[in-house]
Amino acid sequence: MSLINARRLKTGLVLGAALSLSACGFNSVPTKQEAAKAKWADVEAAFQERSNLVPNLAAVAKGAAEQEKSILVGVTEARAKATSVQISANDLGDPKKMEQFQQAQANLGAGIGRLLASVEAYPEVKSNANYQMLQSQLEGQENRIRVAIRDYNGAVQSYNTEVRTFPSMIGARLRGAQPLVPYKAVTPGAEAAPSLEGKL
């Protein structure tokens, strides 16, 4: 075999190996994993923004009626718990850690809902421009959280599909890639539409 033919054969083998690796998800798996981790960072940022808004809303609401104090204490405690439960991008495959984080955020969200409903009952607070501004910011933040979670779950679905389907699963196994955990609603009864009976 001539030197030129040997080089062509070697080049052909290298190209064939590169093509087979790319076809088996060796590069697409980490790309999708990194995309999911980036979306998780967006979820964390949205929850942090909400956590930062809560003390301001609570401070404005403190001047309201005595009945709100227990709700304010509950929101403050839920915020402390929500910020104490941390999850890193490396923990996205751990269902227990994800569940703890989801539960802490759901408790804070429920407390904020009670606070907003309670404060709306008192016109002197409802008419307060600071309260209205913070309430609007908090409602906007809840929407941003929903969008961030939707985007994260979309990235997780794409990644999990990649690591579980042929031929990408070959590259995933070579890299030791594991499925990631999607963010799930943990609010009791979230799967059922609310009833308006007796409320209209």
Coordinates of all heavy atoms in Angstrom, one line a residue, residues 47-145:
F47 N -37.1 33.3 40.7 CA -37.4 33.1 42.1 C -36.7 34.1 43.0 O -37.2 34.6 44.0 CB -37.1 31.7 42.5 CG -38.2 30.7 42.1 CD1 -37.9 29.5 41.4 CD2 -39.5 30.9 42.4 CE1 -38.8 28.6 41.1 CE2 -40.5 30.0 42.0 CZ -40.2 28.9 41.3
Q48 N -35.4 34.4 42.7 CA -34.7 35.4 43.5 C -35.3 36.8 43.4 O -35.4 37.5 44.4 CB -33.2 35.4 43.0 CG -32.3 36.3 43.9 CD -32.3 35.8 45.4 OE1 -32.0 34.7 45.6 NE2 -32.6 36.8 46.3
E49 N -35.7 37.2 42.2 CA -36.3 38.5 42.0 C -37.6 38.5 42.9 O -37.9 39.5 43.5 CB -36.7 38.7 40.6 CG -35.5 39.1 39.7 CD -35.8 39.2 38.3 OE1 -36.9 39.7 37.9 OE2 -35.0 38.8 37.4
R50 N -38.4 37.4 42.9 CA -39.6 37.4 43.7 C -39.2 37.5 45.2 O -39.9 38.3 45.9 CB -40.4 36.1 43.4 CG -41.6 36.0 44.4 CD -42.5 34.8 44.1 NE -41.9 33.6 44.6 CZ -42.5 32.4 44.5 NH1 -43.7 32.3 43.9 NH2 -41.9 31.3 45.0
S51 N -38.2 36.8 45.6 CA -37.8 36.8 47.0 C -37.4 38.2 47.4 O -37.6 38.6 48.5 CB -36.7 35.8 47.1 OG -36.3 35.8 48.5
N52 N -36.7 38.9 46.5 CA -36.3 40.3 46.8 C -37.5 41.2 46.9 O -37.4 42.2 47.6 CB -35.3 40.8 45.7 CG -34.0 40.0 45.7 OD1 -33.7 39.3 46.6 ND2 -33.3 40.1 44.6
L53 N -38.6 41.0 46.2 CA -39.7 41.9 46.2 C -40.6 41.7 47.5 O -41.2 42.6 47.9 CB -40.6 41.6 45.0 CG -40.2 42.2 43.7 CD1 -41.1 41.7 42.5 CD2 -40.2 43.7 43.7
V54 N -40.6 40.5 48.0 CA -41.4 40.1 49.2 C -41.2 41.1 50.4 O -42.2 41.6 50.9 CB -41.3 38.7 49.6 CG1 -41.9 38.4 50.9 CG2 -41.9 37.8 48.5
P55 N -40.0 41.3 50.8 CA -39.8 42.2 52.0 C -40.4 43.6 51.7 O -40.9 44.2 52.6 CB -38.3 42.3 52.2 CG -37.8 41.1 51.5 CD -38.7 40.8 50.4
N56 N -40.3 44.1 50.5 CA -40.8 45.4 50.2 C -42.3 45.5 50.3 O -42.9 46.4 50.8 CB -40.4 45.9 48.8 CG -38.9 46.1 48.7 OD1 -38.2 46.4 49.6 ND2 -38.3 45.8 47.5
L57 N -43.0 44.4 49.7 CA -44.4 44.4 49.8 C -44.9 44.2 51.2 O -45.8 44.8 51.7 CB -44.9 43.2 48.9 CG -46.4 43.0 48.9 CD1 -47.1 44.2 48.2 CD2 -46.8 41.8 48.1
A58 N -44.2 43.4 52.0 CA -44.5 43.2 53.4 C -44.4 44.5 54.2 O -45.2 44.8 55.0 CB -43.7 42.1 54.0
A59 N -43.3 45.2 53.9 CA -43.1 46.5 54.6 C -44.2 47.5 54.3 O -44.7 48.2 55.3 CB -41.8 47.1 54.2
V60 N -44.7 47.6 53.1 CA -45.8 48.5 52.8 C -47.1 48.0 53.4 O -47.8 48.8 53.9 CB -45.9 48.5 51.2 CG1 -47.2 49.3 50.8 CG2 -44.7 49.2 50.6
A61 N -47.3 46.7 53.4 CA -48.5 46.2 54.0 C -48.6 46.2 55.5 O -49.6 46.1 56.1 CB -48.7 44.7 53.5
K62 N -47.4 46.3 56.2 CA -47.4 46.3 57.6 C -48.3 47.4 58.3 O -48.8 47.2 59.4 CB -46.0 46.4 58.1 CG -45.3 45.1 58.3 CD -43.9 45.3 58.9 CE -43.2 44.0 59.0 NZ -41.9 44.0 59.4
G63 N -48.5 48.5 57.6 CA -49.3 49.5 58.1 C -50.8 49.2 58.1 O -51.6 50.0 58.6
A64 N -51.2 48.1 57.5 CA -52.6 47.7 57.4 C -53.1 47.1 58.7 O -52.5 47.2 59.7 CB -52.7 46.8 56.2
A65 N -54.2 46.5 58.6 CA -55.0 46.0 59.7 C -54.2 44.9 60.5 O -53.3 44.3 60.0 CB -56.3 45.5 59.3
E66 N -54.5 44.8 61.8 CA -53.9 43.8 62.7 C -54.0 42.4 62.1 O -53.1 41.6 62.4 CB -54.5 43.9 64.0 CG -53.9 43.2 65.1 CD -52.5 43.7 65.5 OE1 -52.3 44.9 65.4 OE2 -51.7 42.9 66.0
Q67 N -55.1 42.1 61.4 CA -55.4 40.7 61.0 C -54.3 40.2 60.0 O -54.1 39.0 59.8 CB -56.7 40.6 60.3 CG -57.9 40.9 61.2 CD -58.3 42.4 61.2 OE1 -57.4 43.2 61.1 NE2 -59.6 42.7 61.4
E68 N -53.6 41.1 59.4 CA -52.6 40.7 58.4 C -51.3 40.2 59.0 O -50.5 39.6 58.3 CB -52.2 41.9 57.5 CG -53.3 42.2 56.6 CD -53.0 43.5 55.8 OE1 -51.9 43.9 55.9 OE2 -53.9 44.0 55.2
K69 N -51.1 40.5 60.3 CA -49.8 40.2 60.9 C -49.4 38.7 60.8 O -48.3 38.4 60.5 CB -49.7 40.7 62.4 CG -49.6 42.2 62.4 CD -49.2 42.6 63.8 CE -49.0 44.1 63.8 NZ -48.7 44.7 65.1
S70 N -50.4 37.8 61.0 CA -50.1 36.4 60.9 C -49.7 36.0 59.5 O -48.8 35.2 59.2 CB -51.2 35.6 61.4 OG -52.4 35.7 60.6
I71 N -50.4 36.7 58.5 CA -50.1 36.4 57.1 C -48.7 36.9 56.8 O -47.9 36.2 56.1 CB -51.1 37.0 56.2 CG1 -52.5 36.3 56.4 CG2 -50.7 36.9 54.7 CD1 -53.6 36.9 55.7
L72 N -48.3 38.1 57.3 CA -47.0 38.7 57.0 C -45.9 37.8 57.6 O -44.9 37.5 57.0 CB -46.9 40.1 57.6 CG -47.7 41.2 56.8 CD1 -47.7 42.5 57.6 CD2 -47.0 41.4 55.5
V73 N -46.2 37.3 58.8 CA -45.2 36.4 59.5 C -45.0 35.1 58.6 O -43.9 34.7 58.4 CB -45.6 36.1 60.9 CG1 -44.8 34.9 61.5 CG2 -45.5 37.3 61.8
G74 N -46.2 34.6 58.2 CA -46.1 33.4 57.3 C -45.3 33.6 56.0 O -44.6 32.7 55.6
V75 N -45.6 34.7 55.4 CA -44.9 35.0 54.1 C -43.4 35.2 54.4 O -42.5 34.7 53.7 CB -45.4 36.3 53.5 CG1 -44.5 36.8 52.3 CG2 -46.8 36.0 52.9
T76 N -43.0 35.9 55.5 CA -41.6 36.1 55.8 C -40.9 34.8 56.1 O -39.8 34.5 55.6 CB -41.5 37.0 57.0 OG1 -42.2 38.2 56.7 CG2 -40.1 37.3 57.3
E77 N -41.6 33.9 56.9 CA -41.0 32.6 57.1 C -40.9 31.7 55.9 O -39.9 31.0 55.7 CB -41.9 31.8 58.2 CG -41.8 32.4 59.6 CD -42.7 31.8 60.6 OE1 -43.6 31.0 60.2 OE2 -42.7 32.2 61.8
A78 N -41.9 31.8 55.0 CA -41.9 31.0 53.8 C -40.8 31.5 52.9 O -40.1 30.7 52.2 CB -43.2 31.1 53.0
R79 N -40.5 32.9 52.9 CA -39.4 33.4 52.1 C -38.1 32.9 52.6 O -37.2 32.6 51.8 CB -39.5 34.9 52.1 CG -38.3 35.6 51.4 CD -38.3 37.1 51.6 NE -37.1 37.6 50.9 CZ -35.9 37.8 51.4 NH1 -35.7 37.4 52.7 NH2 -34.9 38.3 50.7
A80 N -38.0 32.9 53.9 CA -36.7 32.4 54.5 C -36.5 31.0 54.2 O -35.3 30.6 53.8 CB -36.7 32.6 56.1
K81 N -37.5 30.2 54.2 CA -37.3 28.7 53.8 C -37.0 28.6 52.4 O -36.2 27.8 52.0 CB -38.6 28.0 54.2 CG -38.5 26.5 53.8 CD -39.2 25.6 54.8 CE -39.0 24.2 54.2 NZ -38.7 23.2 55.2
A82 N -37.7 29.4 51.5 CA -37.5 29.3 50.1 C -36.1 29.6 49.7 O -35.5 29.0 48.8 CB -38.5 30.1 49.3
T83 N -35.6 30.7 50.4 CA -34.2 31.1 50.0 C -33.2 30.1 50.7 O -32.0 30.1 50.2 CB -33.9 32.5 50.5 OG1 -34.2 32.7 51.9 CG2 -34.8 33.5 49.7
S84 N -33.5 29.4 51.7 CA -32.6 28.4 52.3 C -32.4 27.1 51.5 O -31.4 26.5 51.6 CB -33.0 28.1 53.7 OG -34.1 27.3 53.8
V85 N -33.4 26.8 50.7 CA -33.4 25.6 49.9 C -32.7 25.9 48.6 O -33.3 26.6 47.8 CB -34.8 25.0 49.7 CG1 -34.7 23.7 48.8 CG2 -35.5 24.6 51.0
Q86 N -31.5 25.5 48.4 CA -30.8 25.8 47.2 C -30.6 24.5 46.4 O -30.5 23.4 46.9 CB -29.4 26.3 47.6 CG -29.4 27.6 48.4 CD -30.0 28.8 47.6 OE1 -29.7 28.9 46.4 NE2 -30.8 29.6 48.2
I87 N -30.6 24.7 45.1 CA -30.3 23.6 44.2 C -29.4 24.1 43.1 O -29.6 25.2 42.5 CB -31.7 23.0 43.6 CG1 -31.4 21.8 42.8 CG2 -32.4 24.0 42.8 CD1 -32.7 21.0 42.6
S88 N -28.4 23.4 42.8 CA -27.4 23.8 41.7 C -27.7 23.0 40.4 O -28.5 22.1 40.4 CB -26.0 23.5 42.2 OG -25.8 22.1 42.1
A89 N -27.1 23.5 39.4 CA -27.3 22.8 38.1 C -26.9 21.3 38.1 O -27.5 20.5 37.4 CB -26.5 23.5 37.0
N90 N -26.0 21.0 39.0 CA -25.6 19.6 39.2 C -26.6 18.7 39.9 O -26.5 17.5 39.8 CB -24.2 19.5 39.9 CG -23.1 20.1 39.2 OD1 -23.1 20.2 38.0 ND2 -22.1 20.7 39.9
D91 N -27.6 19.4 40.6 CA -28.6 18.7 41.3 C -29.9 18.5 40.4 O -30.9 17.9 40.9 CB -29.0 19.4 42.6 CG -27.9 19.6 43.5 OD1 -27.0 18.6 43.6 OD2 -27.8 20.6 44.2
L92 N -29.9 18.9 39.2 CA -31.1 18.8 38.4 C -31.6 17.4 38.1 O -32.7 17.2 37.6 CB -30.9 19.6 37.1 CG -30.7 21.1 37.3 CD1 -30.5 21.8 35.9 CD2 -31.9 21.8 38.0
G93 N -30.7 16.4 38.3 CA -31.1 15.0 38.1 C -31.6 14.4 39.4 O -31.9 13.2 39.4
D94 N -31.6 15.1 40.5 CA -32.0 14.5 41.8 C -33.4 14.9 42.1 O -33.7 16.0 42.5 CB -31.0 15.1 42.9 CG -31.3 14.5 44.2 OD1 -32.4 13.9 44.5 OD2 -30.3 14.5 45.1
P95 N -34.4 13.9 42.0 CA -35.8 14.2 42.2 C -36.1 14.7 43.6 O -36.9 15.6 43.8 CB -36.5 12.9 42.0 CG -35.5 12.0 41.2 CD -34.1 12.5 41.6
K96 N -35.4 14.2 44.7 CA -35.6 14.7 46.0 C -35.3 16.1 46.2 O -36.1 16.9 46.8 CB -34.9 13.8 47.0 CG -35.5 12.5 47.3 CD -34.8 11.8 48.5 CE -35.5 10.5 48.8 NZ -35.1 9.9 50.0
K97 N -34.1 16.5 45.7 CA -33.7 17.9 45.9 C -34.7 18.8 45.1 O -35.1 19.9 45.6 CB -32.3 18.1 45.4 CG -31.3 17.6 46.4 CD -29.9 17.9 46.0 CE -28.9 17.3 47.0 NZ -27.5 17.6 46.7
M98 N -35.1 18.4 43.9 CA -36.0 19.2 43.1 C -37.4 19.3 43.8 O -38.0 20.4 43.9 CB -36.3 18.5 41.8 CG -35.7 19.0 40.5 SD -35.4 20.7 40.4 CE -36.2 21.0 38.9
E99 N -37.8 18.2 44.4 CA -39.1 18.3 45.2 C -39.0 19.2 46.4 O -40.0 20.0 46.6 CB -39.4 16.9 45.6 CG -40.8 16.8 46.3 CD -41.2 15.4 46.7 OE1 -40.6 14.4 46.2 OE2 -42.1 15.2 47.6
Q100 N -37.9 19.2 47.1 CA -37.8 20.2 48.2 C -37.8 21.6 47.7 O -38.5 22.5 48.3 CB -36.4 19.9 48.9 CG -36.4 18.7 49.8 CD -35.0 18.4 50.3 OE1 -34.0 18.9 49.8 NE2 -34.9 17.7 51.4
F101 N -37.1 21.9 46.7 CA -37.1 23.2 46.1 C -38.5 23.7 45.7 O -38.9 24.8 46.0 CB -36.1 23.3 45.0 CG -35.9 24.7 44.4 CD1 -35.0 25.6 45.0 CD2 -36.6 25.1 43.3 CE1 -34.8 26.9 44.5 CE2 -36.5 26.4 42.8 CZ -35.6 27.3 43.4
Q102 N -39.1 22.8 44.9 CA -40.5 23.1 44.4 C -41.5 23.3 45.6 O -42.3 24.3 45.5 CB -41.0 21.9 43.5 CG -40.2 21.8 42.2 CD -40.4 20.5 41.5 OE1 -39.9 20.2 40.5 NE2 -41.2 19.5 42.1
Q103 N -41.4 22.5 46.6 CA -42.3 22.7 47.7 C -42.1 24.0 48.5 O -43.0 24.7 48.8 CB -42.1 21.5 48.7 CG -43.2 21.5 49.8 CD -44.6 21.4 49.3 OE1 -44.9 20.5 48.6 NE2 -45.5 22.4 49.6
A104 N -40.8 24.4 48.7 CA -40.5 25.7 49.3 C -41.0 26.8 48.5 O -41.6 27.8 49.0 CB -39.0 25.8 49.5
Q105 N -40.8 26.8 47.2 CA -41.3 27.9 46.3 C -42.8 27.9 46.3 O -43.4 29.0 46.2 CB -40.7 27.7 44.9 CG -39.2 27.9 44.8 CD -38.8 29.3 45.3 OE1 -39.5 30.3 45.3 NE2 -37.6 29.3 45.9
A106 N -43.5 26.8 46.3 CA -44.9 26.7 46.3 C -45.5 27.3 47.6 O -46.5 28.0 47.6 CB -45.4 25.3 46.1
N107 N -44.8 27.0 48.7 CA -45.3 27.6 50.0 C -45.2 29.1 50.0 O -46.1 29.8 50.5 CB -44.5 27.0 51.2 CG -44.8 25.6 51.4 OD1 -45.8 25.1 51.0 ND2 -43.9 24.9 52.1
L108 N -44.1 29.6 49.4 CA -43.9 31.1 49.3 C -45.0 31.7 48.4 O -45.6 32.7 48.8 CB -42.5 31.4 48.8 CG -42.2 32.9 48.6 CD1 -42.5 33.7 49.9 CD2 -40.8 33.1 48.2
G109 N -45.2 31.0 47.3 CA -46.3 31.5 46.4 C -47.6 31.5 47.0 O -48.4 32.5 46.8
A110 N -48.0 30.5 47.8 CA -49.3 30.5 48.5 C -49.4 31.6 49.5 O -50.4 32.2 49.7 CB -49.4 29.1 49.2
G111 N -48.3 31.8 50.2 CA -48.3 32.9 51.2 C -48.4 34.3 50.6 O -49.2 35.1 51.1
I112 N -47.8 34.5 49.4 CA -48.0 35.8 48.7 C -49.4 35.9 48.3 O -50.0 37.0 48.4 CB -47.0 35.8 47.5 CG1 -45.6 36.0 48.0 CG2 -47.3 36.9 46.6 CD1 -44.5 35.8 46.9
G113 N -50.0 34.8 47.8 CA -51.4 34.9 47.4 C -52.3 35.3 48.5 O -53.2 36.1 48.4
R114 N -52.1 34.7 49.7 CA -52.9 35.1 50.9 C -52.7 36.6 51.3 O -53.6 37.3 51.6 CB -52.5 34.2 52.1 CG -53.1 32.8 51.9 CD -53.0 32.0 53.2 NE -51.6 31.8 53.7 CZ -50.8 30.9 53.2 NH1 -51.3 30.0 52.3 NH2 -49.6 30.8 53.7
L115 N -51.4 37.0 51.2 CA -51.1 38.4 51.5 C -51.8 39.4 50.6 O -52.4 40.3 51.0 CB -49.6 38.6 51.5 CG -49.1 40.1 51.7 CD1 -49.5 40.5 53.1 CD2 -47.6 40.2 51.4
L116 N -51.7 39.1 49.3 CA -52.4 40.0 48.3 C -53.9 40.0 48.5 O -54.5 41.0 48.5 CB -52.1 39.5 46.9 CG -50.6 39.7 46.4 CD1 -50.4 39.1 45.1 CD2 -50.2 41.2 46.4
A117 N -54.5 38.8 48.8 CA -56.0 38.8 49.0 C -56.3 39.5 50.3 O -57.3 40.2 50.3 CB -56.4 37.3 49.1
S118 N -55.5 39.4 51.3 CA -55.8 40.0 52.6 C -55.7 41.6 52.4 O -56.6 42.3 52.9 CB -54.8 39.5 53.6 OG -54.9 40.3 54.8
V119 N -54.7 42.0 51.8 CA -54.4 43.5 51.7 C -55.5 44.1 50.8 O -55.9 45.2 51.1 CB -53.0 43.7 51.2 CG1 -52.8 45.2 51.0 CG2 -52.0 43.2 52.2
E120 N -56.0 43.4 49.8 CA -57.0 44.0 49.0 C -58.3 44.3 49.8 O -59.1 45.1 49.3 CB -57.4 43.0 47.8 CG -56.3 43.1 46.7 CD -56.6 42.1 45.6 OE1 -57.7 41.5 45.6 OE2 -55.8 42.0 44.7
A121 N -58.5 43.7 50.9 CA -59.7 43.9 51.7 C -59.6 45.3 52.4 O -60.6 45.7 53.0 CB -59.9 42.8 52.7
Y122 N -58.5 45.9 52.5 CA -58.3 47.1 53.2 C -58.1 48.3 52.3 O -57.0 48.4 51.7 CB -57.2 47.0 54.2 CG -57.4 45.9 55.2 CD1 -56.8 44.6 55.0 CD2 -58.4 46.0 56.2 CE1 -57.0 43.6 55.8 CE2 -58.6 44.9 57.0 CZ -58.0 43.7 56.8 OH -58.2 42.6 57.6
P123 N -59.0 49.2 52.1 CA -58.9 50.3 51.1 C -57.8 51.2 51.3 O -57.2 51.7 50.4 CB -60.2 51.0 51.2 CG -61.1 50.2 52.0 CD -60.3 49.2 52.7
E124 N -57.4 51.5 52.6 CA -56.3 52.4 52.9 C -55.0 51.9 52.3 O -54.1 52.7 52.0 CB -56.2 52.8 54.3 CG -55.7 51.6 55.2 CD -56.8 50.7 55.7 OE1 -57.9 50.8 55.2 OE2 -56.5 49.8 56.5
V125 N -54.8 50.6 52.3 CA -53.6 50.0 51.7 C -53.8 49.9 50.2 O -52.8 50.1 49.4 CB -53.3 48.6 52.4 CG1 -52.1 48.0 51.7 CG2 -53.0 48.8 53.8
K126 N -55.0 49.4 49.8 CA -55.2 49.2 48.4 C -54.9 50.5 47.6 O -54.5 50.5 46.4 CB -56.6 48.7 48.1 CG -56.9 48.3 46.7 CD -58.3 47.7 46.7 CE -58.6 47.2 45.3 NZ -59.9 46.7 45.1
S127 N -55.3 51.7 48.2 CA -55.1 52.9 47.5 C -53.7 53.5 47.6 O -53.4 54.5 46.9 CB -56.1 54.0 48.0 OG -55.8 54.2 49.4
N128 N -52.9 52.9 48.4 CA -51.5 53.3 48.5 C -50.7 53.0 47.2 O -50.7 51.9 46.7 CB -50.9 52.5 49.7 CG -49.5 53.0 50.0 OD1 -48.7 53.1 49.1 ND2 -49.2 53.1 51.3
A129 N -50.1 54.1 46.7 CA -49.4 54.0 45.4 C -48.3 53.0 45.5 O -48.0 52.3 44.5 CB -48.9 55.4 44.9
N130 N -47.6 53.0 46.6 CA -46.4 52.1 46.8 C -46.9 50.6 46.7 O -46.3 49.8 46.1 CB -45.7 52.3 48.1 CG -44.9 53.6 48.1 OD1 -44.6 54.1 47.0 ND2 -44.6 54.2 49.2
Y131 N -48.0 50.4 47.4 CA -48.6 49.0 47.4 C -49.0 48.6 46.0 O -48.7 47.5 45.6 CB -49.8 48.9 48.4 CG -50.4 47.6 48.2 CD1 -49.9 46.4 48.7 CD2 -51.6 47.4 47.5 CE1 -50.4 45.2 48.5 CE2 -52.2 46.2 47.3 CZ -51.6 45.1 47.8 OH -52.1 43.8 47.6
Q132 N -49.7 49.5 45.3 CA -50.1 49.2 44.0 C -48.9 48.9 43.0 O -48.9 47.9 42.2 CB -51.0 50.3 43.4 CG -52.3 50.4 44.0 CD -53.1 51.5 43.5 OE1 -52.6 52.5 43.0 NE2 -54.5 51.4 43.6
M133 N -47.8 49.7 43.2 CA -46.6 49.4 42.4 C -46.0 48.1 42.7 O -45.7 47.3 41.8 CB -45.6 50.5 42.6 CG -44.3 50.3 41.8 SD -43.0 51.4 42.4 CE -42.7 50.8 44.0
L134 N -45.9 47.8 44.0 CA -45.3 46.5 44.4 C -46.1 45.3 44.0 O -45.7 44.3 43.6 CB -45.0 46.5 45.9 CG -43.8 47.3 46.3 CD1 -43.8 47.5 47.8 CD2 -42.5 46.8 45.8
Q135 N -47.5 45.5 44.2 CA -48.4 44.4 43.8 C -48.2 44.1 42.3 O -48.2 43.0 41.8 CB -49.8 44.8 44.1 CG -50.8 43.7 43.7 CD -52.2 44.1 44.0 OE1 -52.5 45.3 44.1 NE2 -53.1 43.1 44.1
S136 N -48.2 45.2 41.5 CA -48.0 45.0 40.0 C -46.7 44.3 39.7 O -46.6 43.4 38.9 CB -48.1 46.4 39.4 OG -47.8 46.3 38.0
Q137 N -45.6 44.7 40.4 CA -44.3 44.1 40.2 C -44.4 42.6 40.5 O -43.8 41.8 39.8 CB -43.2 44.8 41.0 CG -42.8 46.1 40.4 CD -41.7 46.8 41.3 OE1 -41.3 46.2 42.2 NE2 -41.4 48.0 40.9
L138 N -45.0 42.3 41.7 CA -45.1 40.9 42.1 C -45.9 40.1 41.2 O -45.5 38.9 40.8 CB -45.7 40.9 43.5 CG -45.4 39.7 44.4 CD1 -43.9 39.4 44.4 CD2 -45.9 39.9 45.8
E139 N -47.0 40.6 40.7 CA -47.8 39.9 39.7 C -47.0 39.6 38.4 O -47.1 38.6 37.8 CB -49.1 40.6 39.4 CG -50.1 40.6 40.6 CD -51.2 41.6 40.5 OE1 -51.2 42.4 39.5 OE2 -52.2 41.5 41.3
G140 N -46.3 40.7 38.0 CA -45.4 40.5 36.8 C -44.4 39.5 37.0 O -44.0 38.7 36.1
Q141 N -43.8 39.4 38.3 CA -42.8 38.5 38.6 C -43.3 37.0 38.6 O -42.7 36.1 38.1 CB -42.1 38.8 39.9 CG -40.9 38.0 40.2 CD -39.9 38.2 39.2 OE1 -39.6 39.2 38.7 NE2 -39.2 37.1 38.8
E142 N -44.5 36.9 39.1 CA -45.2 35.5 39.0 C -45.3 35.1 37.6 O -45.1 33.9 37.3 CB -46.5 35.5 39.7 CG -46.4 35.8 41.2 CD -45.6 34.7 42.0 OE1 -45.9 33.5 41.8 OE2 -44.7 35.1 42.7
N143 N -45.6 36.0 36.7 CA -45.7 35.6 35.2 C -44.3 35.2 34.7 O -44.2 34.3 33.9 CB -46.3 36.8 34.4 CG -47.8 36.9 34.7 OD1 -48.5 36.0 35.0 ND2 -48.3 38.1 34.5
R144 N -43.3 36.0 35.1 CA -42.0 35.7 34.6 C -41.5 34.3 35.1 O -40.8 33.6 34.4 CB -41.0 36.8 35.0 CG -41.1 38.0 34.2 CD -40.0 39.1 34.5 NE -40.1 39.7 35.7 CZ -41.0 40.8 36.0 NH1 -41.8 41.2 35.0 NH2 -41.0 41.3 37.1
I145 N -41.9 34.0 36.4 CA -41.6 32.7 36.9 C -42.2 31.6 36.1 O -41.6 30.6 35.7 CB -42.0 32.6 38.4 CG1 -41.0 33.4 39.3 CG2 -42.0 31.1 38.9 CD1 -41.5 33.6 40.7

